[in-house]
Structure formats: structure tokens, C-alpha cells
Amino acid sequence: METSEPLVARHVLEFPGGYTRSTGPVIGRFLTELRAGRIVGVRTAEGRVLVPPLEYDPATGDAVTDEYVEVGPAGTVTASAWVGEPRPEHPLDRPFAWALIRLDGADTALVHAVDAGDPKALRPGARVWPVWRERREGGITDIAYFRPEVTMIVSPERPEYRIQAGGALRTFLEGVRRGVFVGGRCPTCAKVYVPFRASCPECGSRIAEQVELPDTGTITTFAINNLPDPRAPEVPFVSAYILLDGADIPMIALVGGVPAHEVRQGMRVRAEWVPESERTLSMANVRWFTPTGEEDAELT
Ligand SMILES: [Zn+2]
């Protein structure tokens, strides 16, 4: 006698037309509010807000009050699990996260899908907002999913400015055309500011006295830049805060004539001016600052 194949039959348990359940008053209220585009919780006898609402406080077993509280719509993710390969019955057809979300004003967390794009975007503490379905039926899926709060935008921009120099800036730029850095001395606190400015940022006094500063100074801090810049000679280039001799605040400028890795704090530098015939009313008159070769200055 031949061995027989095992007999296999496929069973599907299905409720055509759906499985009808009554919601009870508490869940019913929750679902009705969802249909209206609101999320509510219920207050417990102890004053906590349960979302989704329950008929009994899971902490004490006491019946909840009949006070419903609107919460959210935004919330904070307390935990999440990434779904890299969504199944047909999942709410999103792209990778997403199941997350526990504590909506603002709630004391408990709700489970829902978050369309975060990337699991790294959904650390605990991430803020999320609901995306509602246009047609709502009174179910938890009336919220299609949540998505992270907007924290960044990419906007194509190319603003062009025409800057009208005020009196103070004009004073400074006219000095730069002559090859001189014009600063201003505060009559009250005696601080010398360069570029020249009309009022003291520290004490608010009006500044009238102009001071001509030498074109030598000391690098206080600097940055090595690895992205090209039309004003810079090459990449990498160095931009630095330079404290001109006699000034109390540094000004920013390029450093040239020295390899980037040799630039240091305390380095003494001098402005390299473009030839007089090429000068305009702009900072482009200073090509950059180059080391003087002096001993480094002590920075205080
Ligand atoms: Zn002052």
C-alpha cells in the first residue's frame, strides 16, 4: 500500500460585513470626537487623563469620571518600534514606526503609526503631529498617521541685497579706502570699537570720537574653512577674529600668506591692502591679513 499524503485544508475565519461590537459610552465618545477631528481623554477620579479613554482606571480599578478633556493634537514619542517592511494591512505602505505617543495634556500614551522616513528621526522625546484623513468615520484610523514636527525646511533662496551704508559704516569704509581702520571710542566706558559705530553696545552712550587704528593686530580665534568662497584665495582658507592694536573688540577677516595649519591664536598679523588705484568703498580693499613674523602675543 502506498503512503498517503497528509490531508491539508486552508481555513479562513472571516466576518463578511464586519464584526459588530458596541463601543460603550467612553470609547464611543472617543471615536465620535475623532470623527470630529478632536482627540479626547477621560479624567480619572485621581485627576489623571487617560488617552485613549477607558471605563476604569487601570491603576486603581475605580470607575473614571465623566469629564472628557481635549488633548494634543501634538504629542511626544515615549517609545517606538521601526517597521522596515510594512505588510498590506499596515497603515502605511512605506517603512514607518509604531510609537507610543503621549499627547499634550494626557498622562498615558496612545499607540499609533508615525511616518518618520528614517528611524533616527524618531528618538524618544520626538514631537509628532497627527495627519487626519479627509473622510472620517469614527475610528482610530481617522488619524492616518502621525509625523514628526517640522524642525527644518529647505527653501531655494537667492536674495540679492543693495545695502545702503549708514553714517557709521560710511565713516569706516571711507577710512578703508584710505587704508585706515577707523574705530570709535566710547566717551563713557572708553572702549574702542572697530568698525566705527555710533553707539556703545555695552553702555549705550553715543560715540562721536573717531580713532584711527593701525593695520596690525592679533588673531584671537580662527576657523579653517574647507568649502570654497569667492573672496578666499584657496581651499582650505582661514577666517579669523583679529583684535587690531588699540581696539577692544575683534573684527573678522581672512588670513592669507600662510598655510592654514600654521595659523594660531596669538599670531601677529598685518592687513594686506589692494593697490590704491583698485580701492573702492568696501572691505575688499583688505585682501587679507598676513603674519608679521613678530613673536606671538599673549592673549588675555
Ligand atoms: Zn560705553
Side-chain angles (χ1 to χ4, degrees):
M1 195 177 147
E2 287 177 32
T3 52
S4 57
E5 291 285 308
L7 296 174
V8 176
R10 183 163 180 264
H11 277 258
V12 176
L13 211 54
E14 193 174 17
F15 301 93
Y19 185 86
T20 308
R21 303 171 50 159
S22 64
T23 59
V26 175
I27 300 297
R29 172 71 181 263
F30 176 64
L31 299 178
T32 306
E33 295 276 1
L34 283 175
R35 191 175 59 192
R38 290 186 296 265
I39 311 167
V40 298
V42 71
R43 199 178 292 283
T44 66
E46 291 183 323
R48 298 189 339 127
V49 176
L50 308 180
V51 180
L54 298 168
E55 288 166 31
Y56 295 92
D57 182 346
T60 62
D62 292 337
V64 296
T65 68
D66 56 7
E67 188 192 339
Y68 291 87
V69 183
E70 188 170 352
V71 296
T76 302
V77 170
T78 60
S80 66
W82 190 249
V83 180
E85 289 173 28
R87 297 201 201 141
E89 64 272 26
H90 277 159
L92 286 154
D93 59 4
R94 49 194 179 273
F96 71 99
W98 285 120
L100 275 169
I101 300 161
R102 195 170 67 233
L103 295 169
D104 296 346
D107 291 295
T108 59
L110 173 92
V111 175
H112 217 298
V114 180
D115 187 10
D118 172 358
K120 286 195 221 89
L122 209 64
R123 300 219 165 81
R127 298 280 298 160
V128 292
W129 288 73
V131 175
W132 294 90
R133 276 188 208 290
E134 216 159 284
R135 192 177 156 70
R136 296 191 288 269
E137 313 276 353
I140 190 64
T141 53
D142 285 350
I143 298 173
Y145 51 86
F146 281 77
R147 66 178 166 192
E149 195 158 272
V150 176
T151 55
M152 226 179 267
I153 57 165
V154 177
S155 61
E157 280 172 28
R158 189 177 175 275
E160 284 196 26
Y161 296 90
R162 207 175 130 255
I163 296 175
Q164 181 107 22
L169 184 55
R170 185 166 191 97
T171 300
F172 177 73
L173 292 178
E174 279 173 352
V176 166
R177 187 164 56 183
R178 289 187 285 121
V180 171
F181 293 117
V182 177
R185 191 191 317 273
C186 172
T188 311
C189 65
K191 287 237 161 89
V192 173
Y193 297 100
V194 62
F196 178 79
R197 48 186 304 155
S199 64
C200 176
E202 202 150 299
C203 71
S205 300
R206 214 185 129 60
I207 296 176
E209 187 190 346
Q210 294 181 12
V211 187
E212 293 199 355
L213 293 161
D215 63 358
T216 51
T218 303
I219 292 175
T220 60
T221 57
F222 65 95
I224 297 177
N225 305 275
N226 290 295
L227 293 174
D229 185 294
R231 295 160 300 178
E234 57 189 5
V235 173
F237 69 92
V238 175
S239 50
Y241 274 109
I242 293 162
L243 187 63
L244 291 181
D245 297 333
D248 286 295
I249 53 162
M251 59 180 219
I252 197 160
L254 294 174
V255 175
V258 55
H261 67 269
E262 284 178 22
V263 174
R264 55 194 181 269
Q265 290 179 299
M267 191 178 228
R268 297 283 298 153
V269 288
R270 178 190 300 279
E272 188 169 315
W273 300 90
V274 302
E276 244 177 295
S277 58
E278 293 172 25
R279 289 191 200 156
T280 55
L281 272 180
S282 91
M283 267 307 274
N285 297 345
V286 180
R287 188 169 284 135
W288 49 64
F289 280 75
T290 53
T292 61
E294 293 166 89
E295 211 169 291
D296 285 2
E298 197 83 25
L299 288 173
T300 47

